[in-house]
Amino acid sequence: VVLIASREGVEGFFDDAGLPELRLGGLDDAAAESLLEAHGRRLTPAVREQLREQTGGNPPALVELPVLLGTDELGGRSLLPTPLPLTGPGQLHPWAPGHLRELPHFSGPPFASPSLIVPAYFRGDFAQDLNPKLAATLSAQQRPTDFSIFVTPSGPVAWHSLPSWYAVSGADRMIDPALQRAMAQRIGATTGEEPRPLPRVTRSLTLKIRRKEAQTGKGSGSRTRTEGQTIDRQWIIVISAYSASPPASGRPLSTVA
Amino acid sequence: MPELTITIGMATSSGATHSAAGDPIFGRERELTELEELVDGVFERGAALLVRGEPGIGKSTLVAASRRAEEAGMLVLRTTGVQSEAQLPFAGLHQLVLPVLDHADGLPKPQRAASVSWCS
């Protein structure tokens, strides 16, 4: 059985495949009401219907847009804005503005400036498998992130033309080490591995990976390097920032890429 | 970018109304039934289905609900299109078969040679 999910309006490989199609539309009123109630969004029937019509019954839009509306709008005492915020093409994103808090000295459109995840949403959005206490600790230790990286179209992959190294954390509880190894293999990286959580790239680990590459002669550096070529850009990927165990040093966890 | 799921094996009906993450799915009973029927008939016939819809409408959630097939002992392979890999030959195929590449030795020689060539 082959199941394919494909976005409407985007030219794709399966467009002319002649496959039977299941076209998903928006939620009807009963389903929209159940969804909103499950997320604690209690709206009057009239407002709910207006919201459903304007969002086309899109589930994340139904759940997130009430966060942006005022008390009068939610209570049906004033009309909803038209068009609704963030309902333009390509603007809807699972991490709605209500889940992010922008730093006060920046201003601009949503996702365009350094932001933090609102603590109330941190565990649900980012650390679902951690216990609440540890998730709260991680939330308090957040560093501002430019969330535009999640909504900006990406360009050609860098690792296709640049030498790559990958440090795998064998104790990572957020991203399965097996998946990390698969990604490392996928990018043809010279790979180093540590059995413990990796809060940050260390000089010793960097040297360990580079030494391994020099010994095997099969690393990405030698793969892509041609005679006379100077490698002026290098990168190391470390995806190991969050572990179920606090770092032994007690220092904040961080991602380094 | 499309998401592709291939299910091999046979499932039993469980009336799935929850996403793979355990969250309830609202208003998709008819669509879930259609997917269940496809999976339940896997030993009698092959099948393919293209789920289409606007961003956020629930396509991936619906397809991921087929995880119940894994619970029934089926082999489920998944791949997701990545925009930045669009120009890489066989990137999606590599992602799809990576979990079973260890079995390439069991393939007939021409297919084995082909799989080694595009996976290396």
Side-chain angles (χ1 to χ4, degrees), chain A residues 213-235:
Chain A
E213 180 185 33
Q215 288 169 351
T216 62
K218 294 179 180 177
S220 57
S222 57
R223 175 171 61 85
T224 57
R225 192 179 305 167
T226 58
E227 189 173 357
Q229 178 185 1
T230 301
I231 298 175
D232 57 357
R233 287 183 296 171
Q234 302 174 344
W235 67 335

Side-chain angles (χ1 to χ4, degrees), chain A residues 153-161 166 179 182-188 235 237, chain B residues 1-2 78-96 98 118:
Chain A
S154 54
V157 289
W159 53 262
H160 200 215
S161 55
Y166 199 112
L179 178 61
M183 288 193 286
Q185 179 191 347
R186 188 173 179 76
I187 67 176
W235 67 335
I237 298 175
Chain B
M1 301 299 281
R78 290 187 173 81
T79 185
T80 301
V82 181
Q83 186 178 21
S84 57
E85 296 184 0
Q87 302 305 316
L88 293 181
F90 305 119
L93 185 59
H94 181 261
Q95 193 185 132
L96 184 69
L98 190 61
W118 57 256

Side-chain angles (χ1 to χ4, degrees), chain A residues 186-228:
Chain A
R186 188 173 179 76
I187 67 176
T190 300
T191 306
E193 185 150 348
E194 287 287 341
R196 58 183 175 79
L198 289 173
R200 64 189 67 224
V201 177
T202 61
R203 179 175 297 180
S204 63
L205 179 59
T206 304
L207 288 173
K208 183 177 173 183
I209 297 175
R210 298 302 301 269
R211 201 172 291 130
K212 177 182 175 184
E213 180 185 33
Q215 288 169 351
T216 62
K218 294 179 180 177
S220 57
S222 57
R223 175 171 61 85
T224 57
R225 192 179 305 167
T226 58
E227 189 173 357

Side-chain angles (χ1 to χ4, degrees), chain B residues 48-89:
Chain B
L49 185 67
L50 180 59
V51 182
R52 305 206 68 158
E54 65 178 71
I57 206 69
K59 304 178 294 297
S60 298
T61 299
L62 194 65
V63 169
S66 67
R67 282 181 191 275
R68 73 190 194 92
E70 290 171 317
E71 295 165 5
M74 291 177 150
L75 173 63
V76 178
L77 303 176
R78 290 187 173 81
T79 185
T80 301
V82 181
Q83 186 178 21
S84 57
E85 296 184 0
Q87 302 305 316
L88 293 181

Side-chain angles (χ1 to χ4, degrees), chain A:
Chain A
V1 175
V2 180
L3 302 176
I4 303 139
S6 183
R7 182 172 293 188
E8 200 95 69
V10 177
E11 195 174 327
F13 175 80
F14 296 101
D15 288 352
D16 301 320
L19 297 174
E21 289 192 12
L22 173 61
R23 204 165 284 269
L24 277 189
L27 300 184
D28 61 23
D29 188 50
E33 181 180 9
S34 300
L35 176 69
L36 287 165
E37 284 189 357
H39 286 81
R41 313 269 195 264
R42 301 196 181 280
L43 309 177
T44 66
V47 172
R48 186 178 66 236
E49 180 56 22
Q50 195 179 350
L51 192 64
R52 192 179 69 84
E53 279 186 10
Q54 289 187 235
T55 61
N58 188 295
L62 281 167
V63 171
E64 304 298 350
L65 283 171
V67 177
L68 302 174
L69 302 177
T71 308
D72 286 346
E73 292 164 333
L74 291 173
R77 292 180 290 278
S78 63
L79 294 175
L80 301 187
T82 304
L84 284 167
L86 284 178
T87 50
Q91 287 187 300
L92 184 63
H93 190 268
W95 279 358
H99 290 212
L100 300 177
R101 177 185 301 149
E102 294 182 316
L103 298 188
H105 51 285
F106 287 94
S107 62
F111 308 115
S113 56
S115 307
L116 301 172
I117 302 174
V118 172
Y121 294 109
F122 185 89
R123 185 164 179 257
D125 284 350
F126 195 68
Q128 300 94 331
D129 60 339
L130 299 187
N131 68 61
K133 187 177 178 183
L134 179 57
T137 302
L138 294 176
S139 175
Q141 293 180 338
Q142 287 183 75
R143 296 179 182 185
T145 300
D146 182 351
F147 283 85
S148 67
I149 61 174
F150 295 117
V151 293
T152 303
S154 54
V157 289
W159 53 262
H160 200 215
S161 55
L162 295 177
S164 306
W165 296 264
Y166 199 112
V168 175
S169 166
D172 200 304
R173 299 288 295 273
M174 286 297 287
I175 301 178
D176 192 324
L179 178 61
Q180 294 187 47
R181 293 182 198 107
M183 288 193 286
Q185 179 191 347
R186 188 173 179 76
I187 67 176
T190 300
T191 306
E193 185 150 348
E194 287 287 341
R196 58 183 175 79
L198 289 173
R200 64 189 67 224
V201 177
T202 61
R203 179 175 297 180
S204 63
L205 179 59
T206 304
L207 288 173
K208 183 177 173 183
I209 297 175
R210 298 302 301 269
R211 201 172 291 130
K212 177 182 175 184
E213 180 185 33
Q215 288 169 351
T216 62
K218 294 179 180 177
S220 57
S222 57
R223 175 171 61 85
T224 57
R225 192 179 305 167
T226 58
E227 189 173 357
Q229 178 185 1
T230 301
I231 298 175
D232 57 357
R233 287 183 296 171
Q234 302 174 344
W235 67 335
I236 293 181
I237 298 175
V238 171
I239 304 176
S240 60
Y242 297 105
S243 164
S245 304
S249 66
R251 290 178 302 183
L253 299 173
S254 63
T255 301
V256 182

